[in-house]
Amino acid sequence: MTEMLRVLNLRKVFTIGGIFSRAKIIAVNDVSFEIKKAEIFTLAGESGCGKTTIAKILLGFEHPTGGIVEYKGRRIDNIKPNERFSLRKEIQAIFQNPFSTFNPLRKVDRYFFEALQNFGIAKEEREAEKIVREKLEAVGVAYEEFREKYPSEFSGGQLQRISIARALLTNPSLLIADEPVSMVDASLRMSIVNLFKDLRDRFGLSILYITHDLATAYYVSDRMAIMFRGEIVELGPAEKVLQEPKHPYTRLLRDSVPEPDPSKRWTSKVLLAEQEHEEYLRMGCKFAGRCPSAMEICKRESPIHYEVDGVRVKCFLYR
Ligand SMILES: Nc1ncnc2c1ncn2[C@@H]1O[C@H](COP(=O)(O)OP(=O)(O)O)[C@@H](O)[C@H]1O
Ligand SMILES: [Mg+2]
């Protein structure tokens, strides 16, 4: 079986506000995708489109309102807390800010030795050190530079590499990286996403890369999905999606990436808050209000996904 993770019709509704003024926010709606073994799969989309909510559900930090998550063919969206522990070895996370991953008052190496002990991976110190050296080597950090140091003694890029090494300690099959380079210096971003490719190739790791940055997404992804207001609007091989975008929203995004400078991030936050909220609750296609190709049907009905040229597109243009 080449399928690592399967997400089917995932849905998450948050209720916000007080007792008398409750509002629903559909953070994730009908999201389906799978991640294969040794594949880098990317979820890309503007801030607020539901990426982190999906990551939290996959990691068991949030319960889905609906839908199914399967890991290696086994349902994990409804498992008990005590079963989570063994999964934690298999599915590891990397977060946006490495400085908030580590306590500033603790030496970073302590986290490594503690993890090896807690997961029962190393029985004695020499064995543990060997594993730590090996994982640091995989991310390009020397053990001698790493030991006995506090988080503040590293640069952001260096510390993010170290947090990737820490994620590797349990020999996971799947890494979930939520905006892992957005706080890293622009000049170092590519070298870190390069590391993901390296880990995929060397260890057969599957990686869910979450980003709002199309340049790194294009560079690193095998396949990718573009999200808009909680939904996947387009999914397919990364070159196809970004070189011949089919969904009008993907086109808009792609064209808003300033080229040729790949370090420029796409940060267009086009909408006002109320308008945004209205889009989440819209009846038909959520993009219809801004879509240059919108038709009558788009305002009434939500499109299904159409298969076009190896790409899945949620748009009536491809009916
Ligand atoms: N715990 C929560 N309670 C209420 N609303 C939330 C909560 N978490 C996220 N949201 C809302 O869900 C939407 C998706 O958020 P998020 O998944 O963080 O998006 P992204 O990671 O793509 O920026 C946003 O509108 C956000 O405000
Ligand atoms: Mg997020």
Side-chain angles (χ1 to χ4, degrees):
M1 184 188 52
T2 63
E3 227 165 73
M4 234 11 158
L5 188 85
R6 206 158 82 94
V7 171
L8 200 64
N9 308 121
L10 199 66
R11 184 175 165 85
K12 178 70 185 181
V13 181
F14 289 111
T15 307
I16 48 173
I19 302 163
F20 299 108
S21 59
R22 290 228 290 216
K24 273 185 178 173
I25 187 126
I26 305 168
V28 176
N29 189 33
D30 197 22
V31 163
S32 301
F33 62 89
E34 91 256 334
I35 306 178
K36 300 183 185 116
K37 182 165 170 51
E39 179 181 53
I40 301 178
F41 182 84
T42 295
L43 284 176
E46 290 169 289
S47 166
C49 72
K51 306 182 296 297
T52 295
T53 304
I54 292 174
K56 285 182 176 166
I57 293 171
L58 300 183
L59 291 165
F61 302 156
E62 290 277 7
H63 275 290
T65 311
I68 287 175
V69 181
E70 278 178 9
Y71 173 73
K72 290 184 175 170
R74 185 176 137 233
R75 256 187 97 161
I76 60 163
D77 54 273
N78 55 2
I79 61 171
K80 298 183 191 73
N82 60 330
E83 292 174 285
R84 272 275 154 215
F85 185 75
S86 65
L87 263 186
R88 216 168 292 153
K89 269 184 166 177
E90 302 253 335
I91 307 177
Q92 284 280 347
I94 293 148
F95 301 102
Q96 185 170 25
N97 185 352
F99 288 101
S100 59
T101 305
F102 301 102
N103 181 336
L105 301 176
R106 287 190 82 205
K107 288 176 182 164
V108 176
D109 53 9
R110 298 290 177 273
Y111 286 88
F112 280 63
F113 290 103
E114 211 172 77
L116 289 173
Q117 197 170 33
N118 289 347
F119 283 106
I121 296 164
K123 279 163 216 74
E124 38 111 19
E125 206 173 318
R126 282 232 344 241
E127 191 186 357
E129 189 189 306
K130 185 170 164 279
I131 297 171
V132 173
R133 280 181 183 273
E134 193 182 292
K135 302 306 177 189
L136 286 171
E137 186 270 330
V139 301
V141 174
Y143 182 73
E144 284 65 31
E145 313 250 301
F146 156 87
R147 57 191 290 264
E148 298 288 330
K149 283 198 178 142
Y150 291 97
S152 61
E153 296 179 75
F154 299 100
S155 70
Q158 201 73 346
L159 200 59
Q160 194 59 301
R161 281 175 186 272
I162 289 169
S163 73
I164 295 169
R166 185 174 74 141
L168 298 177
L169 287 174
T170 59
N171 292 322
S173 306
L174 175 67
L175 284 187
I176 296 180
D178 190 358
E179 308 264 12
V181 295
S182 62
M183 295 193 64
V184 169
D185 214 55
S187 61
L188 295 174
R189 257 174 229 152
M190 283 299 179
S191 74
I192 290 185
V193 294
N194 234 339
L195 192 56
F196 290 136
K197 284 182 158 185
D198 214 53
L199 297 174
R200 173 198 63 192
D201 298 340
R202 282 175 70 181
F203 306 114
L205 264 179
S206 303
I207 298 171
L208 175 60
Y209 176 56
I210 294 179
T211 188
H212 63 259
D213 171 49
L214 292 189
T216 54
Y218 177 71
Y219 178 71
V220 76
S221 319
D222 295 308
R223 291 183 308 129
M224 70 184 296
I226 302 285
M227 289 188 69
F228 180 74
R229 303 283 171 255
E231 300 180 343
I232 289 178
V233 295
E234 184 156 357
L235 185 155
E239 326 80 77
K240 274 237 170 94
V241 170
L242 293 177
Q243 279 179 11
E244 314 153 38
K246 296 192 170 53
H247 196 283
Y249 177 64
T250 316
R251 287 189 198 146
L252 182 94
L253 281 188
R254 207 270 315 258
D255 295 342
S256 73
V257 175
E259 278 175 296
D261 183 355
S263 67
K264 284 266 165 56
R265 289 163 59 193
W266 138 61
T267 48
S268 60
K269 187 90 179 119
V270 213
L271 290 174
L272 301 171
E274 314 87 71
Q275 212 177 339
E276 202 173 298
H277 191 236
E278 189 268 334
E279 274 184 348
Y280 276 110
L281 300 171
R282 192 184 283 278
M283 286 297 292
C285 172
K286 299 198 190 314
F287 189 56
R290 283 200 273 164
C291 181
S293 318
M295 302 171 282
E296 252 331 291
I297 187 170
C298 308
K299 288 166 194 155
R300 287 181 281 114
E301 281 177 44
S302 182
I304 57 161
H305 287 275
Y306 298 96
E307 198 76 35
V308 195
D309 182 28
V311 172
R312 220 175 77 191
V313 199
K314 190 176 164 65
C315 176
F316 283 122
L317 289 174
Y318 302 92
R319 228 177 341 174

